[in-house]
Structure formats: C-alpha cells, structure tokens
Amino acid sequence: MILRFVRSVVFKLWATIIGLVAVVLVILGMFLLQYIDLAFSNNAYNIKLLFVITGVIGFLLTTFFAFFLSFKITQPLLEMKRAADLIAQGDYRMRLPIRSTDEIGELAGTFNHMAAEVDKLIRDLQHEKDHLAGILRSMTDAVITFDARGQTIQSNPQGEDLLKQWAGIVWEGEPDADERHGGVPGPLRELYDAVLREGRDLSGKVHVHNEVWSVVMAPLKSEQGVRGAVAVLRDVTEEYRLEKLRADFIANVSHEIRTPLSMLQGYSEALLDDIAASPEERRDIARIIHDESVRMGRLVNDLLDLARMENGHFEIKQQVVNISDLIQRVHRKFLVYAKERDIRLSSALPDHPLILKAADEDRLEQVLTNLLDNAMRHTPAGAAIELKADPAAIDGRRHIRVVVRDEGQGIPAEDLPYIFERFYKADKARKRGASSGTGLGLAIVKNIVEAHRGRISVESEVGRGTAFTLLLPVEPAQP
C-alpha cells in the first residue's frame, strides 16, 4: 500500500509541494531569522515559534490536499485500471461510474463508450464466427485449413472425419515428407506445395484406395505472403463411377451391336454376290446370319428388360415358391453341362422345404441360371461349384439365404463394386466370342433380387473363387 502510494502521481505532486514549501521556508528563514533577532529581541522566541507552527500547519494542509487529490484523481484512475484489466480478461460489459463532470468524468465516459464499442465489435465478430462455423458444419464437403507449416488450423466435422480416416494410411513419398508437410495428408501434399509456391487457387482429383476426391485448394494470403491454404474436398466416387460406367456402356453397346451387324452385312453380301457355291455353304451362311440376329435380338431384349426394371415398370408375380424344388431343378439342368466340362456341381439343402410366400419363380430361376452360367464359364476343369440354401434371420425378419460358390479364377478387389453394372467385365482379356452372354446378366440379377426386396452380395479372391449370396425375404414384399 505504501509502495503504491509512493509510486502514485499524488505522492509525486505532494512531494513536489512539500519540497517547494520547504524551500520557501528555508529561504525566508535565512533572511527573516536575523531580522527578527534584531527588530523583535523581546518577542523573538514567540515569533520563531509562530513561524514553526505556520510551517507545520502548511505541511499538514499540503498532506490533506494530497489525500484530497488521491480521492478525486487517484481513485478514479485506479478504477479505470481495474476496469481495463477486466476488459482485457474478456469482461466487455464492465462500465465505470461517472462521479463528476470534470476531465476525470469525461475520461470515464469516453472509457465506457470505448468499452461499449469493443463489446459490440466482439459480439459482431462472435456472431460472424458462429455463422461461419454453422456454414462449415452444414457443408457436406470436407473443409480443412492448413498453416504454412502444414499443421491443421481448422476443419469442419466432415474434414475431421476425413483426417481420422486418412491418419492410419501409410503414404508413399519423400523421407522428410512429414517434416516438410506437417499434418497434410499424402494425397494433398503435391497440391499444397503448388498452392504455397504459386499463391493461386488450384484444383485436382486424388484417388485414395477405392475412393475419388475432388479437391479445390486456395491460398491464405497476408501482408507477409502466403500463410497457409484451405482445401475443400468432395467425394466424387459415385460420379466418377457413373461416368466410367457411362463411357464403358457406350463402348460395350457399340462393340456388342457392331460385331453382329458387321457379320450380318458381310454374310448377306456374300449371298447377294453369290459367293456361296453350294447349298451347304448357303445354309451355313444363313445359319450364321440367323445366330447373329438371334444374339442381337437377345441383346436388345435384355436391354429393354433392364430399362423396364430400372424405371420401375417391372411386375413380380406374387405366388408361393418352393426354393428347395427350384434349386434342385436348376441343379439338374446344369448337371450334364458340368459333367461335360469336368466340373463337380453339388447342392446343399436343409431337410425341410424352404418356402417364399410371395415371389416370382420364373424370375428367380433366371437369377440362378445366370449365376450358375457365369460360374461354369469361369471355373476350370477339375474344380467345384456349390449351390446352397438355408434359412436366415436378418434384422428380425425371416429370409432364405442362397449361395452360389465356385472355385474359379476370382474377381479382383477393385472390380467388385462394379460387377453388377451393365456390360462391365472383370476379366478385361475375355473376348466376346468366349461366351454367349450379353454382358447384362448380373445387372438383371441385381434388379430381380431388389424387386423381391432382397439383397445380393459378392465375395471373391483372385485364384480362389467367388461366392454370390442372395437374401430373399420369406414374407410378401411390401410396396
């Protein structure tokens, strides 16, 4: 307390006044004391005593004036200091009481006005921050902000989830990549470096496992230069897949239709030019023309059926179907074909019959026929194919599970998401003439199963075989 008073302005003012009074008294004493001794020899003592009392009263009045100044000046200044400290700590509602209309009162009013403006500014900034945070949270795209050292500054929930997913992936790159890029994930490092180097917006696509991400990255600029970058990532896997399927569909349809058309044109020209010399040759040419026209007709019919299924113009005959009898019938149908190719075809069924209360038997037979036909064409001699069915409970509902498992060449993992698409061929080397299929079988299978409110899935390992699993609800499908 004493140290604070000594360091205060009032103490300095009081010390200055005391010093001035002391100087005045000393100077007066030097001249007056001798005069008093000469002029007032009889009352010199009383006069000197009065002089001392007057000096003491002056010192007391000066001290009282100092304390008065302390109350009128120092206390308001200390209150302003405490208020400024509270505002610095975040209490922007702090206000000072105005006790006078002098300069101190005006200073307090100005301080209150400043605090009100700071409070309003902070509220506006907080509102803008909350607004921006709400926009980021509501975005379906992932937004991630990096500083110049590659550390993550801010991200929305989608960005945080993406960083967590990518955190466990080991990225290939330079040995010092982590030191130079900090927390920037591997797929974004090249684009991040380019943005910091060029200082402009850049975009691109990155592939992470089976996902495709569209990335737009913009620099964060300041007076000192580029201080970081903000990246907006959108999962375009589905769009990329659909674009790829569209291109493949156009190419495959063109290929599938062009080949029989070319053969029809060529052999019909041979007939017109009378190249066939014998009736046998003409019959062979006519048979080829007939086979290719049948093939093209089957292709067109499959395309029309698939289009009707995907557009919802597909009716399921609601009837009771014995899946056990259906599987046995399909098994017998393929048994001779399997023996000719030296393939072991077996079926496994429970002792009790498996009944679907509302299904289309013809369509389900088409499903099993397509799956077994695919298995036969991709299973080598000496291997086995198993057709199995059993009851299952899925999500509290009764289902029948049908599995078609082969020991064929298998399907690569990168092709599994696309095998139910039209004309998609996992075996890129397979020629059109290797089978009589149209490339639409699995797409039709998927649509028929989904029309029964069922599900189809596939598991495969290259060189080990493939297993297709159907889950068909026992109860009638609800619209």
Side-chain angles (χ1 to χ4, degrees):
M1 184 68 181
I2 296 176
L3 181 61
R4 178 181 295 179
F5 177 74
V6 171
R7 296 170 57 185
S8 65
V9 176
V10 174
F11 173 79
K12 294 177 181 178
L13 181 61
W14 176 75
T16 301
I17 295 175
I18 290 294
L20 290 174
V21 172
V23 170
V24 170
L25 291 177
V26 169
I27 293 175
L28 290 175
M30 292 175 60
F31 294 100
L32 291 178
L33 289 177
Q34 296 179 359
Y35 177 76
I36 291 173
D37 289 337
L38 295 174
F40 304 97
S41 57
N42 296 329
N43 296 321
Y45 175 77
N46 293 331
I47 293 174
K48 291 179 180 179
L49 180 61
L50 179 62
F51 185 79
V52 172
I53 293 173
T54 302
V56 172
I57 292 174
F59 278 106
L60 293 176
L61 289 175
T62 303
T63 303
F64 174 77
F65 178 69
F67 280 103
F68 175 76
L69 289 179
S70 174
F71 176 77
K72 298 297 290 183
I73 298 177
T74 304
Q75 287 301 117
L77 291 178
L78 289 177
E79 290 181 359
M80 289 184 186
K81 178 181 179 300
R82 286 193 295 269
D85 290 338
L86 291 175
I87 290 178
Q89 295 172 8
D91 185 6
Y92 303 109
R93 297 184 179 181
M94 180 64 191
R95 299 293 183 270
L96 290 172
I98 300 177
R99 298 188 176 94
S100 63
T101 59
D102 55 8
E103 291 84 353
I104 299 296
E106 293 178 357
L107 180 60
T110 303
F111 183 90
N112 289 340
H113 177 70
M114 179 198 69
E117 291 298 319
V118 171
D119 186 25
K120 181 177 180 298
L121 178 61
I122 295 299
R123 287 177 178 273
D124 292 342
L125 291 176
Q126 186 64 38
H127 175 73
E128 291 297 326
K129 181 180 177 182
D130 294 340
H131 183 63
L132 179 59
I135 292 176
L136 289 177
R137 284 194 302 270
S138 63
M139 291 179 64
T140 57
D141 298 341
V143 181
I144 308 173
T145 305
F146 303 102
D147 60 15
R149 296 177 298 174
Q151 300 299 325
T152 303
I153 302 175
Q154 187 179 12
S155 62
N156 63 348
Q158 292 77 10
E160 294 176 359
D161 293 341
L162 188 62
L163 289 175
K164 291 179 181 178
Q165 293 176 13
W166 289 2
I169 302 176
V170 179
W171 310 108
E172 297 180 358
E174 304 86 349
D176 59 343
D178 292 339
E179 298 179 2
R180 293 191 296 105
H181 298 96
V184 180
L188 304 180
R189 289 171 184 168
E190 183 178 353
L191 197 62
Y192 171 78
D193 288 340
V195 168
L196 293 187
R197 183 174 59 253
E198 301 178 15
R200 61 186 181 90
D201 296 2
L202 295 175
S203 61
K205 283 186 172 62
V206 296
H207 296 256
V208 181
H209 290 175
N210 293 327
E211 297 177 340
V212 182
W213 293 85
S214 174
V215 183
V216 177
M217 192 174 294
L220 297 175
K221 296 182 179 180
S222 63
E223 295 180 356
Q224 292 75 25
V226 179
R227 59 181 180 87
V230 56
V232 180
L233 299 94
R234 174 176 295 178
D235 188 355
V236 294
T237 305
E238 186 65 19
E239 291 86 343
Y240 181 82
R241 183 182 70 87
L242 292 176
E243 179 62 24
K244 183 176 183 299
L245 290 175
R246 184 190 66 81
D248 290 344
F249 175 75
I250 294 175
N252 286 321
V253 166
S254 301
H255 173 72
E256 295 290 340
I257 294 180
R258 182 182 58 189
T259 302
L261 284 177
S262 298
M263 297 184 69
L264 289 174
Q265 180 180 356
Y267 283 107
S268 61
E269 289 176 354
L271 289 177
L272 290 174
D273 295 339
D274 203 18
I275 295 177
S278 64
E280 290 78 10
E281 291 179 354
R282 285 194 294 270
R283 279 195 299 270
D284 291 341
I285 292 176
R287 187 179 300 109
I288 293 174
I289 293 175
H290 177 266
D291 291 343
E292 292 301 323
S293 63
V294 170
R295 172 179 171 77
M296 191 163 59
R298 187 167 60 247
L299 174 63
V300 173
N301 289 332
D302 285 348
L303 282 172
L304 292 175
D305 286 344
L306 190 58
R308 283 195 296 267
M309 293 177 187
E310 293 180 347
N311 291 330
H313 306 299
F314 180 65
E315 296 182 358
I316 294 293
K317 298 178 182 178
Q318 302 288 338
Q319 59 185 9
V320 177
V321 176
N322 189 325
I323 291 293
S324 300
D325 292 342
L326 176 61
I327 290 177
Q328 291 174 358
R329 185 167 67 250
V330 174
H331 175 263
R332 287 193 300 269
K333 183 168 63 174
F334 278 87
L335 196 57
V336 175
Y337 181 45
K339 290 180 179 180
E340 291 177 354
R341 301 199 56 183
D342 192 23
I343 295 175
R344 300 187 305 274
L345 178 62
S346 62
S347 62
L349 298 170
D351 296 334
H352 59 278
L354 300 173
I355 304 297
L356 293 179
K357 294 185 178 180
D360 191 325
E361 186 171 1
D362 293 336
R363 291 296 184 178
L364 291 180
E365 183 173 353
Q366 183 181 1
V367 167
L368 295 177
T369 300
N370 281 339
L371 293 178
L372 277 176
D373 183 63
N374 280 340
M376 288 288 182
R377 285 188 281 111
H378 296 92
T379 301
I385 298 175
E386 182 184 22
L387 184 59
K388 182 174 66 172
D390 57 3
I394 307 297
D395 299 330
R397 295 185 59 193
R398 292 188 300 156
H399 287 70
I400 294 178
R401 178 169 44 220
V402 181
V403 180
V404 179
R405 187 186 308 275
D406 65 63
E407 296 178 354
Q409 60 195 40
I411 303 172
E414 61 271 16
D415 290 318
L416 286 177
Y418 311 109
I419 62 171
F420 293 107
E421 304 299 336
R422 293 167 292 185
F423 294 111
Y424 190 85
K425 295 180 181 180
D427 183 4
K428 305 300 188 299
R430 181 160 55 90
K431 301 294 189 293
R432 187 188 67 86
S435 71
S436 59
T438 62
L440 302 172
L442 289 180
I444 293 175
V445 164
K446 180 182 178 183
N447 278 274
I448 293 175
V449 172
E450 291 179 349
H452 284 81
R453 301 295 189 268
R455 287 178 284 176
I456 182 170
S457 60
V458 59
E459 297 177 357
S460 185
E461 185 177 350
V462 176
R464 299 289 298 275
T466 304
F468 287 90
T469 302
L470 310 178
L471 287 173
L472 301 171
V474 173
E475 302 298 330
Q478 298 298 323

